[in-house]
Amino acid sequence: MGLENRSTVMYGILCEHAPEESRVALTPDVASRLKRLNVSCCIESGAGLTAGFSDDDYRQANVDVQDRAFVMSQADAIGFVGRPESDVIAGLAPGTWILGMLSSFTDEPYLQKLQSAGLVSVALERLPRQLSSAQSMDEMTSQNSVMGYKAALVAANAYGSFLPMMTTAAGTIRPAKVLVLGAGIAGLQAIGTAKRLGAVVTAYDVRPAAREEIESLGAKFLDLGIDLSSGQGEGGYARQLTDKEQAEQQRAVDESAAQFDIVITTAKVPGRKPPVLLTSNGVNGLHRGAVIVDCAASGLGGNVEGSVPGTTLTEGGVTILGCPNLASDVASTASKLLSRNLADTLVHFLGENGGLHMDMSRELDRALIVAGQAEEGK
């Protein structure tokens, strides 16, 4: 909608209707901060309930609590936890800005739908993560941090023994052995949390810098006996391995995994099919009662061969937990972090004289999908 007669930008939030989604894209504290920056906020009634925020909490932060139709018709920009569905896209006025993780690397038909609707689309997955100015907008980093923390708790809950060593009158129980595959943001949080719970933790990542990061948390680095020293990708993410490298890695991981009680996999390649780090041979090599938490499980596959969202019990008695929505299970904290990511992204596009403004000469703007034009992320 037009901004000519408005001195402030109206930022809107809708209820999320995706299955198992409990987060909200705006929290009251961030709404108060936006108000000071001349951004007014409106939210669909009930949008924050599953994350622990009532309509009254938003009203106290000067957020206009309204129905869905009001938000869609009055907001200049709308923030999403996921991405807008077809009915939302069809109901928004051309020129409305949308902010969120839009799966822009893998779903070209969806991008074309956004373009046809005349929406200004800001895809957070295209943020140039290496820029210091973009780091507070990095939704993937903030949500992966929550995911890694929760992955360790989910694993501990599913495992049938203690994680720490326990000395009791009936004898001493050895600590659980945990293997974390992927030492990015999620993996490091999983390592730290499992260590705090008392487990003996080993981890692995193809990136050269990972060994120092893993050992700094008191975990051991898993030496597979193969050279994948060129595993660092752009922006700090692990790159996609070649077929030969992946085959060598899978064989080595499969052989090593048998000694562990819990395996947590966190290796995601943004917007693309995740690498398989543990094959069915590796799963079958685990002892009965072992637990696998696959954070990368999704419709694109997972880090564990055959893993799917949900719980699977193999014939050998190994529990595989496909957990693509772990951040949603820590909805309050995850929402606070996500809300800040989206708000900082919105603030970047605020013009000096009010309204939303894009400038394709700015590096951050070029890295996003804006004005219906897809620019390759850096």
Side-chain angles (χ1 to χ4, degrees), residues 227-264:
D227 182 14
L228 296 174
S229 58
S230 60
Q232 181 87 25
E234 292 185 5
Y237 295 110
R239 66 167 172 83
Q240 188 82 32
L241 299 180
T242 66
D243 291 343
K244 181 179 179 180
E245 289 172 330
Q246 190 167 327
E248 290 184 46
Q249 178 180 251
Q250 286 178 349
R251 175 191 55 77
V253 170
D254 288 345
E255 294 174 355
S256 301
Q259 62 186 294
F260 294 94
D261 305 303
I262 293 171
V263 179
I264 300 173

Side-chain angles (χ1 to χ4, degrees), residues 127-139 341 345 364:
L127 286 168
R129 185 170 177 260
Q130 69 274 23
L131 291 182
S132 59
S133 59
Q135 290 176 3
S136 67
M137 310 173 197
D138 189 358
E139 178 181 348
N341 298 145
T345 304
L364 181 58

Side-chain angles (χ1 to χ4, degrees), residues 50 57 169 209 321 355:
T50 54
D57 292 332
L321 302 173

Side-chain angles (χ1 to χ4, degrees), residues 66-192:
Q66 295 284 350
D67 60 21
R68 192 173 185 83
F70 177 93
V71 176
M72 291 178 62
S73 65
Q74 296 300 311
D76 304 303
I78 301 181
F80 294 89
V81 173
R83 64 181 191 175
E85 299 294 337
S86 297
D87 62 327
V88 175
I89 294 173
L92 294 176
T96 302
W97 289 54
I98 60 171
L99 299 84
M101 298 287 280
L102 304 179
S103 300
S104 63
F105 292 118
T106 58
D107 196 345
E108 183 62 31
Y110 183 80
L111 298 186
Q112 293 175 356
K113 184 182 297 186
L114 296 175
Q115 292 172 342
S116 298
L119 303 178
V120 180
S121 308
V122 183
L124 269 64
E125 66 270 19
R126 290 180 177 251
L127 286 168
R129 185 170 177 260
Q130 69 274 23
L131 291 182
S132 59
S133 59
Q135 290 176 3
S136 67
M137 310 173 197
D138 189 358
E139 178 181 348
M140 180 171 289
T141 293
S142 74
Q143 300 306 288
N144 281 358
S145 180
V146 179
M147 179 181 73
Y149 161 80
K150 187 64 175 181
L153 300 184
V154 167
N157 187 60
Y159 183 53
S161 185
F162 294 138
L163 260 66
M165 182 177 69
M166 288 282 187
T167 301
T168 72
T172 299
I173 299 173
R174 69 168 179 82
K177 296 180 179 179
V178 175
L179 174 63
V180 178
L181 298 177
I185 298 298
L188 293 175
Q189 283 291 342
I191 291 167

Side-chain angles (χ1 to χ4, degrees), residues 6 8 24 44 49 62 75 124 164 171 186 212 300 337 370:
R6 181 175 295 173
T8 63
V24 64
E44 182 180 357
L49 289 177
N62 294 313
L124 269 64
E212 182 178 345
L300 294 175
L337 297 172
V370 294

